[in-house]
Amino acid sequence: MYLSSISVENIRNLTKKTLNLSNGINVLYGKNAQGKTNLLEAVYFAAMGRSHRTNIYKELIAFGKREAFISCEIKGEFADSTINVRIQKEKKEIAVNGNVIKKLVELFGTMLIVIFSPEDLELVTAGPRVRRKFIDLNLCQIHPLYYHQLNKYHHILNQRNNLLKDIKKNKQSSETIFLWDSQLVECGIKIIDYRAKYINSLNDIAKNFHNKLTDNKENLKIIYRPNTDTDNYGQLMESSLDRDIYLGSTSVGIHKDDMGISVNNIDVRSYGSQGQKRSVSLSLKLSGIEYIKNKESPPIVLLDDVLSELDESRQMFLLKEIQGLQTILTCTGVEDVLVRIGDNVNIAKYEVKEGVINGKY
Ligand code: ATP
Ligand code: MG
């Protein structure tokens, strides 16, 4: 699939614009703080119903305006689709093919995307939350039921955490907590199952990418590190209740899961060099793209200023591996990027200056 056109109105500093895009590589270039990432954010919002930069969606509305709009036209292998987003201070409304959706699951998959920002190169170094986000982003797009379970889990988790705080203040007895626990365990077990299978598949793909990237010198292995196992989930929650009441939050469960990453059987997070960690992050990101491609259809790749963060050989590796996928990338030094891309692909160039996007396709 590819995004054939996007229209934005009142999105951050961007001037109202309809942009026709190439199904090859689209380069958005310009100086800092001109609005390049704002456009990628609009694409991401239309695909995922949220921003990749903030949880406060009203921040996307241009200063002084009441509402903002994003419209996307997507050309699919078999059918075309449209996504229309309207963001207001108090609510967001998303329509897929003209029908307003009630739940985000109805949106997922309409426009498959993978976003790659400089922070993603820190996937290995960062904390477990970042790796969970990486896992969740792909699983949500491919498996709507996964999103449903995850959403339900976090909803119940919030309620349990509130109750824990009330118990601590003696406002509530601890008896009702077990009602929440059994629901968390039920959802949690399903999520563990999805994550285990996903990480297993990703491991096979990532191993190949990393072999190619390192001339077979590094053997990459990723494993799922669930915070709890499915057999003892309930007991572990029960036995940590006193600690949870003391902390006012839940210490056991899938919201604490992580991924173990090793190269040549050595833990990369603890012992890897900086360059090694970045290469592994790149292999993992590319594997995520490949997974979506295999399971569903080729995703749209959003590269936010990521090329300038990589050395020449890694840049070439990345560009080669995403060949054939529609890509929207941002950069400041356009000439360097064009040299890397070469002129054998469908390239569209757009300059972004003070929120005005110029260029045609
Ligand atoms: P860089 O190369 O540094 O990443 P960029 O071109 O990606 O720059 P963006 O992050 O897209 O920059 O745009 C930043 C600009 O958008 C800033 O000038 C900021 O003030 C402006 N901006 C952010 N939110 C809003 C908003 N709600 N209304 C108006 N302008 C906004
Ligand atoms: Mg930017």
PDB file of all heavy atoms in Angstrom, residues 323-350:
ATOM      1  N   GLN A 323      14.169  -0.480  -0.001  1.00  0.00           N
ATOM      2  CA  GLN A 323      13.879  -0.263  -1.417  1.00  0.00           C
ATOM      3  C   GLN A 323      12.555  -0.910  -1.797  1.00  0.00           C
ATOM      4  O   GLN A 323      12.271  -2.032  -1.381  1.00  0.00           O
ATOM      5  CB  GLN A 323      14.987  -0.881  -2.247  1.00  0.00           C
ATOM      6  CG  GLN A 323      15.603   0.100  -3.203  1.00  0.00           C
ATOM      7  CD  GLN A 323      16.807  -0.507  -3.894  1.00  0.00           C
ATOM      8  OE1 GLN A 323      16.751  -1.632  -4.345  1.00  0.00           O
ATOM      9  NE2 GLN A 323      17.876   0.258  -3.964  1.00  0.00           N
ATOM     10  N   GLY A 324      11.769  -0.197  -2.576  1.00  0.00           N
ATOM     11  CA  GLY A 324      10.492  -0.758  -3.004  1.00  0.00           C
ATOM     12  C   GLY A 324       9.356  -0.397  -2.066  1.00  0.00           C
ATOM     13  O   GLY A 324       8.187  -0.573  -2.400  1.00  0.00           O
ATOM     14  N   LEU A 325       9.671   0.115  -0.862  1.00  0.00           N
ATOM     15  CA  LEU A 325       8.607   0.541   0.056  1.00  0.00           C
ATOM     16  C   LEU A 325       8.450   2.054  -0.063  1.00  0.00           C
ATOM     17  O   LEU A 325       9.437   2.769  -0.214  1.00  0.00           O
ATOM     18  CB  LEU A 325       8.981   0.219   1.504  1.00  0.00           C
ATOM     19  CG  LEU A 325       9.259  -1.233   1.846  1.00  0.00           C
ATOM     20  CD1 LEU A 325       9.635  -1.359   3.313  1.00  0.00           C
ATOM     21  CD2 LEU A 325       8.023  -2.073   1.560  1.00  0.00           C
ATOM     22  N   GLN A 326       7.225   2.515   0.031  1.00  0.00           N
ATOM     23  CA  GLN A 326       7.066   3.968   0.027  1.00  0.00           C
ATOM     24  C   GLN A 326       7.716   4.533   1.286  1.00  0.00           C
ATOM     25  O   GLN A 326       7.507   4.013   2.390  1.00  0.00           O
ATOM     26  CB  GLN A 326       5.588   4.369   0.020  1.00  0.00           C
ATOM     27  CG  GLN A 326       5.450   5.888  -0.100  1.00  0.00           C
ATOM     28  CD  GLN A 326       4.020   6.377   0.031  1.00  0.00           C
ATOM     29  OE1 GLN A 326       3.205   5.781   0.741  1.00  0.00           O
ATOM     30  NE2 GLN A 326       3.705   7.465  -0.646  1.00  0.00           N
ATOM     31  N   THR A 327       8.507   5.549   1.094  1.00  0.00           N
ATOM     32  CA  THR A 327       9.229   6.125   2.223  1.00  0.00           C
ATOM     33  C   THR A 327       9.016   7.633   2.244  1.00  0.00           C
ATOM     34  O   THR A 327       9.038   8.278   1.195  1.00  0.00           O
ATOM     35  CB  THR A 327      10.746   5.827   2.075  1.00  0.00           C
ATOM     36  OG1 THR A 327      10.914   4.410   1.992  1.00  0.00           O
ATOM     37  CG2 THR A 327      11.553   6.361   3.230  1.00  0.00           C
ATOM     38  N   ILE A 328       8.786   8.153   3.435  1.00  0.00           N
ATOM     39  CA  ILE A 328       8.751   9.602   3.576  1.00  0.00           C
ATOM     40  C   ILE A 328       9.850   9.935   4.572  1.00  0.00           C
ATOM     41  O   ILE A 328       9.821   9.468   5.710  1.00  0.00           O
ATOM     42  CB  ILE A 328       7.380  10.100   4.106  1.00  0.00           C
ATOM     43  CG1 ILE A 328       6.244   9.489   3.273  1.00  0.00           C
ATOM     44  CG2 ILE A 328       7.306  11.632   4.073  1.00  0.00           C
ATOM     45  CD1 ILE A 328       4.849   9.795   3.814  1.00  0.00           C
ATOM     46  N   LEU A 329      10.844  10.661   4.114  1.00  0.00           N
ATOM     47  CA  LEU A 329      11.950  10.941   5.029  1.00  0.00           C
ATOM     48  C   LEU A 329      12.190  12.433   5.167  1.00  0.00           C
ATOM     49  O   LEU A 329      11.936  13.212   4.251  1.00  0.00           O
ATOM     50  CB  LEU A 329      13.212  10.196   4.600  1.00  0.00           C
ATOM     51  CG  LEU A 329      13.988  10.545   3.338  1.00  0.00           C
ATOM     52  CD1 LEU A 329      14.936  11.712   3.571  1.00  0.00           C
ATOM     53  CD2 LEU A 329      14.790   9.337   2.902  1.00  0.00           C
ATOM     54  N   THR A 330      12.676  12.803   6.345  1.00  0.00           N
ATOM     55  CA  THR A 330      13.011  14.197   6.566  1.00  0.00           C
ATOM     56  C   THR A 330      14.519  14.326   6.732  1.00  0.00           C
ATOM     57  O   THR A 330      15.181  13.405   7.216  1.00  0.00           O
ATOM     58  CB  THR A 330      12.354  14.760   7.849  1.00  0.00           C
ATOM     59  OG1 THR A 330      12.999  14.147   8.975  1.00  0.00           O
ATOM     60  CG2 THR A 330      10.878  14.471   7.917  1.00  0.00           C
ATOM     61  N   CYS A 331      15.034  15.456   6.305  1.00  0.00           N
ATOM     62  CA  CYS A 331      16.472  15.695   6.468  1.00  0.00           C
ATOM     63  C   CYS A 331      16.732  17.190   6.390  1.00  0.00           C
ATOM     64  O   CYS A 331      15.876  17.965   5.944  1.00  0.00           O
ATOM     65  CB  CYS A 331      17.260  14.968   5.384  1.00  0.00           C
ATOM     66  SG  CYS A 331      16.851  15.501   3.728  1.00  0.00           S
ATOM     67  N   THR A 332      17.901  17.583   6.836  1.00  0.00           N
ATOM     68  CA  THR A 332      18.277  18.993   6.682  1.00  0.00           C
ATOM     69  C   THR A 332      19.186  19.137   5.461  1.00  0.00           C
ATOM     70  O   THR A 332      18.978  20.010   4.645  1.00  0.00           O
ATOM     71  CB  THR A 332      18.956  19.538   7.969  1.00  0.00           C
ATOM     72  OG1 THR A 332      19.820  18.538   8.480  1.00  0.00           O
ATOM     73  CG2 THR A 332      17.945  19.895   9.022  1.00  0.00           C
ATOM     74  N   GLY A 333      20.155  18.235   5.338  1.00  0.00           N
ATOM     75  CA  GLY A 333      21.065  18.335   4.180  1.00  0.00           C
ATOM     76  C   GLY A 333      20.570  17.474   3.032  1.00  0.00           C
ATOM     77  O   GLY A 333      20.872  16.293   2.966  1.00  0.00           O
ATOM     78  N   VAL A 334      19.802  18.083   2.127  1.00  0.00           N
ATOM     79  CA  VAL A 334      19.164  17.297   1.074  1.00  0.00           C
ATOM     80  C   VAL A 334      20.156  16.681   0.090  1.00  0.00           C
ATOM     81  O   VAL A 334      19.990  15.552  -0.357  1.00  0.00           O
ATOM     82  CB  VAL A 334      18.071  18.128   0.346  1.00  0.00           C
ATOM     83  CG1 VAL A 334      18.676  19.310  -0.398  1.00  0.00           C
ATOM     84  CG2 VAL A 334      17.273  17.259  -0.592  1.00  0.00           C
ATOM     85  N   GLU A 335      21.237  17.405  -0.193  1.00  0.00           N
ATOM     86  CA  GLU A 335      22.166  16.898  -1.204  1.00  0.00           C
ATOM     87  C   GLU A 335      22.799  15.568  -0.777  1.00  0.00           C
ATOM     88  O   GLU A 335      22.904  14.637  -1.563  1.00  0.00           O
ATOM     89  CB  GLU A 335      23.266  17.927  -1.512  1.00  0.00           C
ATOM     90  CG  GLU A 335      22.744  19.222  -2.141  1.00  0.00           C
ATOM     91  CD  GLU A 335      21.812  18.973  -3.340  1.00  0.00           C
ATOM     92  OE1 GLU A 335      22.047  18.005  -4.078  1.00  0.00           O
ATOM     93  OE2 GLU A 335      20.848  19.749  -3.512  1.00  0.00           O
ATOM     94  N   ASP A 336      23.210  15.515   0.500  1.00  0.00           N
ATOM     95  CA  ASP A 336      23.819  14.275   1.011  1.00  0.00           C
ATOM     96  C   ASP A 336      22.868  13.097   0.845  1.00  0.00           C
ATOM     97  O   ASP A 336      23.264  12.006   0.450  1.00  0.00           O
ATOM     98  CB  ASP A 336      24.120  14.411   2.517  1.00  0.00           C
ATOM     99  CG  ASP A 336      25.215  15.418   2.759  1.00  0.00           C
ATOM    100  OD1 ASP A 336      25.864  15.813   1.766  1.00  0.00           O
ATOM    101  OD2 ASP A 336      25.414  15.807   3.926  1.00  0.00           O
ATOM    102  N   VAL A 337      21.602  13.351   1.151  1.00  0.00           N
ATOM    103  CA  VAL A 337      20.621  12.273   1.088  1.00  0.00           C
ATOM    104  C   VAL A 337      20.398  11.831  -0.358  1.00  0.00           C
ATOM    105  O   VAL A 337      20.364  10.641  -0.664  1.00  0.00           O
ATOM    106  CB  VAL A 337      19.290  12.717   1.742  1.00  0.00           C
ATOM    107  CG1 VAL A 337      18.183  11.739   1.449  1.00  0.00           C
ATOM    108  CG2 VAL A 337      19.478  12.872   3.248  1.00  0.00           C
ATOM    109  N   LEU A 338      20.315  12.803  -1.270  1.00  0.00           N
ATOM    110  CA  LEU A 338      20.073  12.458  -2.674  1.00  0.00           C
ATOM    111  C   LEU A 338      21.223  11.640  -3.250  1.00  0.00           C
ATOM    112  O   LEU A 338      21.016  10.729  -4.047  1.00  0.00           O
ATOM    113  CB  LEU A 338      19.840  13.727  -3.504  1.00  0.00           C
ATOM    114  CG  LEU A 338      18.526  14.459  -3.172  1.00  0.00           C
ATOM    115  CD1 LEU A 338      18.392  15.711  -4.018  1.00  0.00           C
ATOM    116  CD2 LEU A 338      17.320  13.546  -3.370  1.00  0.00           C
ATOM    117  N   VAL A 339      22.429  11.953  -2.814  1.00  0.00           N
ATOM    118  CA  VAL A 339      23.587  11.184  -3.268  1.00  0.00           C
ATOM    119  C   VAL A 339      23.443   9.727  -2.840  1.00  0.00           C
ATOM    120  O   VAL A 339      23.663   8.800  -3.610  1.00  0.00           O
ATOM    121  CB  VAL A 339      24.900  11.781  -2.692  1.00  0.00           C
ATOM    122  CG1 VAL A 339      26.071  10.829  -2.898  1.00  0.00           C
ATOM    123  CG2 VAL A 339      25.183  13.129  -3.327  1.00  0.00           C
ATOM    124  N   ARG A 340      23.028   9.535  -1.595  1.00  0.00           N
ATOM    125  CA  ARG A 340      22.864   8.161  -1.078  1.00  0.00           C
ATOM    126  C   ARG A 340      21.763   7.392  -1.824  1.00  0.00           C
ATOM    127  O   ARG A 340      21.885   6.212  -2.099  1.00  0.00           O
ATOM    128  CB  ARG A 340      22.479   8.183   0.403  1.00  0.00           C
ATOM    129  CG  ARG A 340      23.479   8.821   1.294  1.00  0.00           C
ATOM    130  CD  ARG A 340      24.520   7.832   1.773  1.00  0.00           C
ATOM    131  NE  ARG A 340      25.418   8.484   2.684  1.00  0.00           N
ATOM    132  CZ  ARG A 340      26.524   9.133   2.322  1.00  0.00           C
ATOM    133  NH1 ARG A 340      26.873   9.183   1.041  1.00  0.00           N
ATOM    134  NH2 ARG A 340      27.296   9.716   3.214  1.00  0.00           N
ATOM    135  N   ILE A 341      20.672   8.103  -2.077  1.00  0.00           N
ATOM    136  CA  ILE A 341      19.534   7.414  -2.688  1.00  0.00           C
ATOM    137  C   ILE A 341      19.844   7.037  -4.135  1.00  0.00           C
ATOM    138  O   ILE A 341      19.413   6.007  -4.641  1.00  0.00           O
ATOM    139  CB  ILE A 341      18.265   8.315  -2.657  1.00  0.00           C
ATOM    140  CG1 ILE A 341      17.847   8.603  -1.212  1.00  0.00           C
ATOM    141  CG2 ILE A 341      17.107   7.663  -3.397  1.00  0.00           C
ATOM    142  CD1 ILE A 341      16.767   9.662  -1.099  1.00  0.00           C
ATOM    143  N   GLY A 342      20.608   7.866  -4.815  1.00  0.00           N
ATOM    144  CA  GLY A 342      20.873   7.642  -6.239  1.00  0.00           C
ATOM    145  C   GLY A 342      19.652   8.081  -7.027  1.00  0.00           C
ATOM    146  O   GLY A 342      18.650   8.509  -6.443  1.00  0.00           O
ATOM    147  N   ASP A 343      19.689   7.960  -8.333  1.00  0.00           N
ATOM    148  CA  ASP A 343      18.529   8.472  -9.074  1.00  0.00           C
ATOM    149  C   ASP A 343      17.742   7.364  -9.774  1.00  0.00           C
ATOM    150  O   ASP A 343      17.034   7.602 -10.719  1.00  0.00           O
ATOM    151  CB  ASP A 343      18.937   9.571 -10.065  1.00  0.00           C
ATOM    152  CG  ASP A 343      20.155   9.141 -10.860  1.00  0.00           C
ATOM    153  OD1 ASP A 343      20.436   7.916 -10.882  1.00  0.00           O
ATOM    154  OD2 ASP A 343      20.820   9.994 -11.421  1.00  0.00           O
ATOM    155  N   ASN A 344      17.904   6.134  -9.243  1.00  0.00           N
ATOM    156  CA  ASN A 344      17.188   5.047  -9.906  1.00  0.00           C
ATOM    157  C   ASN A 344      15.825   4.753  -9.281  1.00  0.00           C
ATOM    158  O   ASN A 344      15.232   3.740  -9.536  1.00  0.00           O
ATOM    159  CB  ASN A 344      18.047   3.777  -9.907  1.00  0.00           C
ATOM    160  CG  ASN A 344      18.487   3.422  -8.510  1.00  0.00           C
ATOM    161  OD1 ASN A 344      18.378   4.252  -7.611  1.00  0.00           O
ATOM    162  ND2 ASN A 344      18.960   2.206  -8.339  1.00  0.00           N
ATOM    163  N   VAL A 345      15.375   5.629  -8.377  1.00  0.00           N
ATOM    164  CA  VAL A 345      14.037   5.402  -7.808  1.00  0.00           C
ATOM    165  C   VAL A 345      13.164   6.631  -8.034  1.00  0.00           C
ATOM    166  O   VAL A 345      13.629   7.689  -8.424  1.00  0.00           O
ATOM    167  CB  VAL A 345      14.082   5.113  -6.291  1.00  0.00           C
ATOM    168  CG1 VAL A 345      14.543   3.706  -6.012  1.00  0.00           C
ATOM    169  CG2 VAL A 345      14.925   6.118  -5.561  1.00  0.00           C
ATOM    170  N   ASN A 346      11.921   6.403  -7.762  1.00  0.00           N
ATOM    171  CA  ASN A 346      10.911   7.428  -7.875  1.00  0.00           C
ATOM    172  C   ASN A 346      11.036   8.448  -6.749  1.00  0.00           C
ATOM    173  O   ASN A 346      10.537   8.227  -5.661  1.00  0.00           O
ATOM    174  CB  ASN A 346       9.586   6.688  -7.678  1.00  0.00           C
ATOM    175  CG  ASN A 346       8.653   6.969  -8.782  1.00  0.00           C
ATOM    176  OD1 ASN A 346       8.914   7.863  -9.584  1.00  0.00           O
ATOM    177  ND2 ASN A 346       7.561   6.233  -8.822  1.00  0.00           N
ATOM    178  N   ILE A 347      11.708   9.555  -7.005  1.00  0.00           N
ATOM    179  CA  ILE A 347      11.943  10.486  -5.897  1.00  0.00           C
ATOM    180  C   ILE A 347      11.077  11.738  -6.031  1.00  0.00           C
ATOM    181  O   ILE A 347      10.970  12.311  -7.118  1.00  0.00           O
ATOM    182  CB  ILE A 347      13.412  10.949  -5.858  1.00  0.00           C
ATOM    183  CG1 ILE A 347      14.346   9.734  -5.765  1.00  0.00           C
ATOM    184  CG2 ILE A 347      13.667  11.882  -4.685  1.00  0.00           C
ATOM    185  CD1 ILE A 347      15.806  10.105  -5.873  1.00  0.00           C
ATOM    186  N   ALA A 348      10.471  12.151  -4.938  1.00  0.00           N
ATOM    187  CA  ALA A 348       9.788  13.448  -4.910  1.00  0.00           C
ATOM    188  C   ALA A 348      10.476  14.284  -3.840  1.00  0.00           C
ATOM    189  O   ALA A 348      10.818  13.761  -2.778  1.00  0.00           O
ATOM    190  CB  ALA A 348       8.318  13.248  -4.570  1.00  0.00           C
ATOM    191  N   LYS A 349      10.704  15.553  -4.148  1.00  0.00           N
ATOM    192  CA  LYS A 349      11.391  16.417  -3.184  1.00  0.00           C
ATOM    193  C   LYS A 349      10.479  17.557  -2.772  1.00  0.00           C
ATOM    194  O   LYS A 349       9.829  18.176  -3.621  1.00  0.00           O
ATOM    195  CB  LYS A 349      12.634  17.036  -3.837  1.00  0.00           C
ATOM    196  CG  LYS A 349      13.788  16.069  -3.967  1.00  0.00           C
ATOM    197  CD  LYS A 349      15.005  16.769  -4.548  1.00  0.00           C
ATOM    198  CE  LYS A 349      14.798  17.105  -6.025  1.00  0.00           C
ATOM    199  NZ  LYS A 349      15.888  17.842  -6.628  1.00  0.00           N
ATOM    200  N   TYR A 350      10.443  17.814  -1.487  1.00  0.00           N
ATOM    201  CA  TYR A 350       9.635  18.920  -0.981  1.00  0.00           C
ATOM    202  C   TYR A 350      10.461  19.745  -0.018  1.00  0.00           C
ATOM    203  O   TYR A 350      11.079  19.196   0.897  1.00  0.00           O
ATOM    204  CB  TYR A 350       8.409  18.397  -0.221  1.00  0.00           C
ATOM    205  CG  TYR A 350       7.520  17.537  -1.074  1.00  0.00           C
ATOM    206  CD1 TYR A 350       7.673  16.161  -1.063  1.00  0.00           C
ATOM    207  CD2 TYR A 350       6.570  18.102  -1.900  1.00  0.00           C
ATOM    208  CE1 TYR A 350       6.880  15.355  -1.855  1.00  0.00           C
ATOM    209  CE2 TYR A 350       5.777  17.309  -2.701  1.00  0.00           C
ATOM    210  CZ  TYR A 350       5.936  15.940  -2.679  1.00  0.00           C
ATOM    211  OH  TYR A 350       5.159  15.153  -3.471  1.00  0.00           O
TER     212      TYR A 350
END
